[in-house]
Amino acid sequence: MHNGPQPTDLGDVRATNRAVVLRHVRDHAPCSRADIATHTGLNKATVSSLVAELIGYRLLRETGVTENRVGRPATMLVLDGEPYAALGMQVSADELVVVAIDPGGNRLLTWQRAFTTLTATAGETVTALAALARRALSRVTGQGRQVLGLTVGIPGLVDTTGAVPLAAALGWHDVPLAVDLRKALREPAFPVTVDNEANLAVLAEQRHGGHADTADLVHLTGTAGIDAGIVVAGRLLRGARGFTGAVGHLPLDPTGPPCRCGRRGCLEAYAGLPALVDRLLPDPAQDDPVTDFTPEIDRIRALARAGEPTVLTGLAETGRHLGHGVALLAGVVNPATVLLGGHLATLAPWLLPAARAELAERTVAPDTGGCHLDASTLGGIAAALGGATAALSTIEAGRLPASTGG
Amino acid sequence: MHNGPQPTDLGDVRATNRAVVLRHVRDHAPCSRADIATHTGLNKATVSSLVAELIGYRLLRETGVTENRVGRPATMLVLDGEPYAALGMQVSADELVVVAIDPGGNRLLTWQRAFTTLTATAGETVTALAALARRALSRVTGQGRQVLGLTVGIPGLVDTTGAVPLAAALGWHDVPLAVDLRKALREPAFPVTVDNEANLAVLAEQRHGGHADTADLVHLTGTAGIDAGIVVAGRLLRGARGFTGAVGHLPLDPTGPPCRCGRRGCLEAYAGLPALVDRLLPDPAQDDPVTDFTPEIDRIRALARAGEPTVLTGLAETGRHLGHGVALLAGVVNPATVLLGGHLATLAPWLLPAARAELAERTVAPDTGGCHLDASTLGGIAAALGGATAALSTIEAGRLPASTGG
């Protein structure tokens, strides 16, 4: 009894209609009240009342522009959102990132702070996240903006309370991240949410990326681990408990290299950041385990550009494993496009040819339309950008901002 | 720009509202026009007009019952649908199935006809399907019902035109099934649609099965092949081209037994119907390749009931491979429940213990709520039942039946 049209309860109707109006203006601005009524099927009185309310909250504003057409000239509406901001953060292998956007999707700030996440304790990471969040909050509230919320992306399992039962890539077990962050921010009522970084990254792709029109889209994180954020028919695939997209441990070869999950030959054991650096740079710049990956990835890229044969061979081999993993994923969820993120995007020019060949080879009936594999254009901050986008979601769903906040 | 509320165009509004009314009555009958207005947010005049129209089409009817409460007594409404039927069919390894239901979900007929699909040509199968469909059509039209449509489930890839580019389990390539069936039925305007059998089977689970309330549900077909019908958040996961759920060829062990896909160690190479019969009955009743599987599965079940040790060991081993395959699937789409269908359901008492153990063993953070694995209760006709359900979907989406038909 779940598919088909959903009856709404009365309390939701006004919020839903508000969301429909906001969305129409986002997609079609500038537009008039009459346009909104015509295209949404809402009656004009309802539209007028909703628009008045949204103007009152400065989520919409009138422009001086009027349309010349038969009938009365109309006052045109555009998105406002000037008094608001939303924050997103991500915890990558060697940095913390914070992004702020306004409700129109404009980027207000993007800060990347080096941090050795893989050797820090969860407590140290939370403290560093909170410090970075406070600086960002202070910056945007200093611009006179109310901050609607903060969403943090984590490479691991995240439950509905914003706790992290397991983030193997970070060595985290049972970290009540949302609660701890609210405490560290000393703002117990501030809306902090936590999500899997891949889910946030694909949300950023959908809204801000180069394939925003693709309804069936996957973003493969190449940050600390390899997770898939999966959008199907325009909606994020969340699953029963929110634990979707665990592709890093799809088995490619049970006799392959050991994986930190305890098995062998998982996708991450070939193409995860630590595995890739180990295999391509058997003689790393330092003797200790690598914790700062960006310079190592830069070295790999420089060697690849210089045509170093062992690095090129290693990247092609990694590409083949990636293509294999993508083929398994594509067989289950059949995306139109899979985008490589994080360090996989940085190395994409050398990974993609072999990855695409392997994917085509393993696709059933590839001539019926295979899966397109490409690099993300969002840089290494897709999850943070998606987090900020997610933090706008209550507004976009038609809920009004609290009158105090930020 | 795909998530969030969808603005509707004006032409859809009445159909959507009609669907909302039908759905409300389906879930809450008997109910009054005022109940519908209160719970759907539609105004009373709209509800009255829609209800009058639906009564005119005999999709709703009034009962004599009135409610005793404050205010005027109300005429109560229930689903009608008496003048209509919908057909579903499936092509299994050793039989063709047709099911007819009415819009209330009542089963009108269920016919299973033995047919050696695996050795027949596609043309022979289409001819046999058409003959069976004509008999079923004749039966239900003889009851005075208009047949709204026929949906056929196929173990393979199905494109949006109802053609089958590939059904490896049947040896089919590029079969324009919907077109051929319409031709064979000599009713070019009759609504024939084709879908992957797993998609239809999970639709049947969702509407008629023992886990109808589960929003994140998978049905694993155990008929000719092993495909997954995947429902996520109450919606069928279709993917970019409708080719989702190809789990039969998830690789469990590249050094495993050969698979008909040309690789080794795929899930189907362990738990597919031909593989299972070969491995558990190394001395089958006949010498030729098995084409009639039902008696062989019955023999396996009888041997298992008698405690035959090699059969029990073989079933447990198959169960472990199934659990492994389900774990991979669960890592990607995170269903609450996976149901084994077809012959896997028949053998479930001996497969499930080992399958569940393997699934738990391979689940990341199983104590956060794992995936429940069980047998389907729909017998071997889930896809045909889902096909009949699918053939009702245009009515349930608010489209009115054509005034001539059947």
Side-chain angles (χ1 to χ4, degrees), chain B residues 207-226:
Chain B
R207 195 63 75 81
H208 308 283
H211 291 76
D213 291 333
T214 308
D216 296 278
L217 186 66
V218 169
H219 176 104
L220 273 193
T221 63
T223 49
I226 299 184

Side-chain angles (χ1 to χ4, degrees), chain A residues 1-3 5 7-8 23 39 166 206 212-213 234 237 240-246 251 254 263 328 331-332 334 336 361 364 368-370, chain B residues 1-3 5 7-8 23 39 166 212-213 234 237 239-246 251 254 263 328 331-332 334 336 361 364 368-370:
Chain A
M1 300 299 194
H2 302 280
N3 60 344
T8 46
R23 185 192 171 94
H39 289 96
L166 179 67
Q206 201 185 21
D213 292 333
L237 190 151
R241 290 170 193 84
F243 302 164
T244 57
R263 300 198 178 82
L328 300 183
V332 177
N334 186 216
E361 164 70 23
V364 181
T368 57
Chain B
M1 301 299 195
H2 302 281
N3 59 344
T8 45
R23 185 192 170 93
H39 289 96
L166 180 67
D213 291 333
L237 190 150
R241 289 169 193 85
F243 303 163
T244 56
R263 300 199 177 80
L328 300 183
V332 177
N334 186 215
E361 164 71 23
V364 181
T368 57

Side-chain angles (χ1 to χ4, degrees), chain B residues 86-155:
Chain B
L87 297 187
M89 302 188 81
Q90 73 184 56
V91 178
S92 296
D94 56 6
E95 64 179 14
L96 306 178
V97 183
V98 62
V99 166
I101 63 175
D102 71 15
N106 304 299
R107 198 88 70 87
L108 305 175
L109 64 82
T110 305
W111 292 341
Q112 294 170 260
R113 184 195 148 176
F115 186 81
T116 54
T117 312
L118 300 196
T119 50
T121 66
E124 290 164 350
T125 304
V126 171
T127 302
L129 271 174
L132 186 59
R134 267 196 304 271
R135 281 177 45 212
L137 277 168
S138 161
R139 170 71 61 96
V140 292
T141 55
Q143 295 168 346
R145 292 175 188 270
Q146 176 182 344
V147 181
L148 299 169
L150 161 64
T151 302
V152 184
I154 293 294

Side-chain angles (χ1 to χ4, degrees), chain B residues 32-44:
Chain B
S32 69
R33 288 166 176 81
D35 293 336
I36 297 170
T38 303
H39 289 96
T40 62
L42 297 171
N43 71 49
K44 288 185 186 179

Side-chain angles (χ1 to χ4, degrees), chain B residues 156-175:
Chain B
L157 307 181
V158 179
D159 72 19
T160 50
T161 70
V164 179
L166 180 67
L170 305 178
W172 288 15
H173 290 269
D174 295 318
V175 176

Side-chain angles (χ1 to χ4, degrees), chain B residues 3 7 27 46 62 79 84 89-90 98 115 140 159 189 194 230 255-256 268 274 298 315 335 344 353 381 392 404:
Chain B
N3 59 344
D27 292 349
T46 302
E62 293 180 335
L79 286 187
Y84 304 105
M89 302 188 81
Q90 73 184 56
V98 62
F115 186 81
V140 292
D159 72 19
V194 183
I230 305 170
T255 64
E268 270 187 26
D298 288 346
L315 285 169
L344 298 174
I381 57 107
L392 291 173
T404 64

